[in-house]
């Protein structure tokens, strides 16, 4: 069974993606503006997007440092489910009767 990325790993992956894309966009803009080449700017940014995808999309082991321990179905059946209690209606000052 493949190891799934945990919640904190997903949060880390998303934060890394955001930071890396911003860095590559700034760097590519500066380099493209400095050398006056729109094509070079696009190549640098496309390379940054590919590198970001290679780092953040696969399920690397460092994204699963905090796995969740789920109950077995047999164990879950032994514990009662919490009951949902409907909130009571409170009478406000606008809804009083005469």
């Amino acid at each position: 069974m493949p190891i799934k990325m945990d919640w904190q790993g997903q949060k880390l992956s998303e934060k890394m993606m955001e930071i890396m894309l911003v860095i590559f966009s700034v760097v590519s803009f500066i380099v493209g503006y400095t050398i006056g080449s729109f094509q070079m700017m696009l190549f640098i940014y496309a390379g940054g997007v590919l590198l970001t995808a290679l780092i953040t999309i696969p399920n690397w082991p460092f994204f699963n440092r905090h796995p969740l321990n789920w109950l077995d179905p047999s164990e879950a059946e032994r514990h009662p489910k919490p009951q949902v209690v409907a909130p009571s209606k409170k009478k406000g000052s606008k809804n009083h009767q005469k």
Side-chain angles (χ1 to χ4, degrees), residues 10 15 33 35 38 41 43 51 55 65 74 82 92-93 95:
Q10 290 177 5
K15 186 56 78 174
Y33 185 78
I35 64 174
F38 186 74
M41 180 187 76
F43 282 144
L51 182 63
I55 292 173
R65 291 185 181 160
S74 61
S93 60
N95 294 334

Side-chain angles (χ1 to χ4, degrees), residues 9-62:
Q10 290 177 5
K11 184 177 179 181
L12 174 64
S13 175
E14 184 177 353
K15 186 56 78 174
M16 286 175 61
M17 178 199 64
E18 291 171 355
I19 291 170
M20 290 177 73
L21 288 177
V22 167
I23 288 171
F24 281 116
S25 64
V26 169
V27 168
S28 67
F29 177 78
I30 291 172
V31 170
Y33 185 78
T34 304
I35 64 174
S37 173
F38 186 74
Q39 183 178 13
M40 185 56 68
M41 180 187 76
L42 288 178
F43 282 144
I44 293 172
Y45 185 70
V49 169
L50 287 175
L51 182 63
T52 300
L54 288 173
I55 292 173
T56 60
I57 292 176
N59 190 17
W60 299 108
F62 63 89

Side-chain angles (χ1 to χ4, degrees), residues 3-12 59-70:
I3 297 174
K4 304 276 184 179
M5 190 182 299
D6 62 41
W7 294 107
Q8 291 179 352
Q10 290 177 5
K11 184 177 179 181
L12 174 64
N59 190 17
W60 299 108
F62 63 89
F63 289 136
N64 195 29
R65 291 185 181 160
H66 308 283
L68 295 175
N69 296 322
W70 295 91

